[in-house]
Amino acid sequence: MRKLFAATLAALSLSSAAQATVITGDVTATGAYGGNAILSNLSDGITPADRTTYNTRGLTVWWNSASTYFTLDFGGLVAFDEALLSVDHNDNYLVSYSTDGVNFTDLFSVLSTQGTVNWGMEAFERSFDSVTARYLRVQGTSGDSAYAVGELHVLGTRVSTDVPEPAVVGLLGVGLAGIVALRRRRRA
Ligand SMILES: [Ca+2]
Ligand SMILES: [Ca+2]
């Protein structure tokens, strides 16, 4: 029993050691944006070089209104504790997250005072306590009314919603039985 219990613990720690990777989302817009901008450029894993002009077709998505926002859909739940946001340097931006696409919680802001470039796009990397979400939203909250995002993605792992394999379920059962047995032995 002890050996099986140890094997179960080893299997569990292996399965939770998935490497964080760059995860992008499918982008939709709410409100108007630059007519010939390519929406998917907002989250395609490609970050424009700092100082890229804000309205560069093929690299950025640009817009003019603080009421326009963009939503990324990861297609399922993702656990992440880092994000990259490339934005026009002289505006303020807000990123929020959601599990249902309806209720969003603020995640981080990038402010025009925080950058180092004085022209065009700049990329910011942000770390935070891990969150689990399916959707990210980005909007320009204030600035010169010429907003742009060149990239928004996260570093994380997809949260598996698969039904566990029968063999894993069996091991889990053995592990749980081991825990119960140990507790009983301690109590005795
Ligand atoms: Ca701007
Ligand atoms: Ca991009």
Side-chain angles (χ1 to χ4, degrees), residues 153-176:
H153 62 236
V154 299
L155 277 141
T157 55
R158 290 193 176 276
V159 176
S160 175
T161 52
D162 294 345
V163 176
E165 298 282 328
V168 176
V169 172
L171 273 175
L172 278 172
V174 169
L176 286 174

Side-chain angles (χ1 to χ4, degrees), residues 100-184:
D100 59 9
V102 177
N103 301 300
F104 281 80
T105 303
D106 292 357
L107 183 59
F108 66 87
S109 293
V110 165
L111 306 178
S112 60
T113 51
Q114 292 170 332
T116 57
V117 310
N118 56 10
W119 170 259
M121 306 299 289
E122 181 165 9
F124 296 83
E125 291 174 339
R126 287 292 162 83
S127 301
F128 33 80
D129 291 339
S130 182
V131 296
T132 299
R134 173 170 171 169
Y135 303 91
L136 273 192
R137 178 177 284 179
V138 59
Q139 59 202 109
T141 51
S142 58
D144 65 355
S145 293
Y147 303 103
V149 171
E151 181 67 12
L152 173 58
H153 62 236
V154 299
L155 277 141
T157 55
R158 290 193 176 276
V159 176
S160 175
T161 52
D162 294 345
V163 176
E165 298 282 328
V168 176
V169 172
L171 273 175
L172 278 172
V174 169
L176 286 174
I179 290 169
V180 171
L182 279 175
R183 289 227 172 118
R184 284 205 180 133

